Amino acid sequence: MALHFPSVLLLISCLLCFCITLSQAQQPSFRPKALVLPVSKDPSTLQYLAHINQRTPQIPVKLTLDLGGRFLWIDCEQNYASSSYTPSRCESSQCNRANSKICTTECFRSSPKPGCYNNTCGLLLENTFTQTGTSGDLGHDLVSIQSTDGSKLGKIVKVPNFLFTCGATFLLDGLAKGVKGMAGLGRTILSLPSQFSAAFSFPRKFAICLSDSGKGVVFFGDGPYVMLPNVEISKSLIYTPLIINKVSTASAAFAGEPSSDYFIGVNSIKINNKIVPLNTTLLKINKEGFGGTKISTVQPYTVLETSIHKAVIATFAKELSGVPRVAGVGPFELCYNSVGIGSTRVGPAVPQIDLVLQSSNVYWRIFGANSMVQVKSGVLCLGFVDGGVNSRTAIVIGGHQVEDNLLQFDLAASRLGLSSSLLSRQTTCANFNFTSTA
Ligand SMILES: *[C@@H]1O[C@H](CO)[C@@H](O)[C@H](O)[C@H]1NC(C)=O
Ligand SMILES: *[C@@H]1O[C@H](CO)[C@@H](O)[C@H](O)[C@H]1NC(C)=O
Ligand SMILES: *[C@@H]1O[C@H](CO)[C@@H](O)[C@H](O)[C@H]1NC(C)=O
């Protein structure tokens, strides 16, 4: 018996259907190995800025990068419109994951909007630049970001449920023009690196490579990290343990919350290989969470506790005594007439400063490009500032000292990888190939 024409058609269309389903199933959805975020420096605030694409419809949101920041927070009071925003309901798994201790049962407003929903959990958030804090609602929205193979841009990928906290407009005071919040890369489960690693199941690693005038970069995920002209940086790092400070360094925190900042163990400081005499008790984190060394992108220059600052300046001045000094230019104390200072590939020819880490042969070497700041024509100053007596953290390594160095944070292994100055390898942090083929 011959098949009826309609049945044949049905059979063919079914086969076709089956084939399409099969081919879709066989084509794995794209899973990135790493992501990349361009970072620029704002010349007036010296903040490092990045854009992420968020919401539906999607818009670019300008943010200040905060290496030690706990999570992403964004001003939701002004112009937050998105059909994909979802508040985190009190006691939901998201609130538990975020370790929220705040529940807003009622938001006094006739209709809900991001940042003002009934029955929403919240977190304490902070503008770490001005150290102003408040609480805000937790929620999630769509975020998209560019993937990379480590050397060039790849496809744009989406994270549908990226958790963040809704901040208030007043919290933006002190941030660069046009900024809508802060992007926290800190040591928490909600930070950008943690959420991206979880979303795409790639290693819990990220790297920052900041630039003074060009386009720096944050890589989420493991290397390769390649800078033009084809310099692979991830294979030649020196490593030091990341140390946990059990006491929060935020201006406001829930009880028992550890610090989200990245601390490393500096055991001594050498200048031209000479030990700087200092009170090493300050270099250890004490029970109250004071002391120790952390890295910050919110401090433009390294901040040293007063006695350490004094000792560093005295030793540096002694080692560079052949060059005529000029009056200090705030916030710097030690300044020179730059005519007396030669130049090298790694910046002004001045004594190198070594932050000695877990053993005497492991150190973070700071060359002239990172130690000296040109404050005006003809004047170079040592770019370290006085943090006051009894400061919370004895050494805060700031932006100028990390520029053109790649720093890889390996959260799983709790260690920091340091590239040292990329200038010595004839590249810079502004040399990632952001050229898109599209
Ligand atoms: C919160 O609930 C109250 C009482 O049910 C209601 O009057 C109010 O409109 C709600 N607010 C929001 C923002 O949903
Ligand atoms: C070193 O610093 C610690 C912590 O601030 C302080 O208690 C101690 O007195 C200091 N020691 C000296 C010799 O100044
Ligand atoms: C940069 O990447 C693009 C592709 O994204 C490529 O076409 C171009 O050749 C690269 N440039 C260099 C200098 O390698």
Side-chain angles (χ1 to χ4, degrees), residues 272-326:
N272 258 356
N273 271 325
K274 309 228 169 57
I275 294 232
V276 177
L278 38 92
N279 182 349
T280 50
T281 308
L282 297 167
L283 300 179
K284 302 269 179 288
I285 300 168
N286 72 15
K287 279 207 283 294
E288 289 77 43
F290 279 64
T293 302
K294 71 173 188 182
I295 306 165
S296 167
T297 58
V298 168
Q299 292 295 343
Y301 305 103
T302 295
V303 183
L304 303 172
E305 184 276 340
T306 295
S307 69
I308 301 177
H309 183 253
K310 263 203 188 105
V312 164
I313 285 209
T315 310
F316 194 89
K318 202 166 133 201
E319 293 302 312
L320 197 57
S321 55
V323 177
R325 277 178 72 170
V326 297

Side-chain angles (χ1 to χ4, degrees), residues 68-92:
R70 291 179 280 195
F71 42 73
L72 169 67
W73 67 259
I74 287 174
D75 170 24
C76 295
E77 278 183 354
Q78 284 191 54
N79 308 320
Y80 196 109
S82 173
S83 61
S84 47
Y85 176 84
T86 312
S88 300
R89 298 302 182 188
C90 295
E91 281 161 47
S92 64

Side-chain angles (χ1 to χ4, degrees), residues 15 21 27 56 60 63 67 73 85 89 152 179 196 213 215 251 283 294 393 401 429:
L15 271 173
T21 319
Q27 191 170 59
T56 309
L63 302 162
L67 178 65
W73 67 259
Y85 176 84
R89 298 302 182 188
K152 58 183 185 307
V179 162
F196 286 136
S213 50
K215 214 184 254 181
S251 63
L283 300 179
K294 71 173 188 182
T393 301
Q401 277 70 37
C429 283

Side-chain angles (χ1 to χ4, degrees), residues 325-329 332-333 335 379 381:
R325 277 178 72 170
V326 297
V329 178
F332 310 118
E333 207 173 300
C335 299
V379 179
C381 299

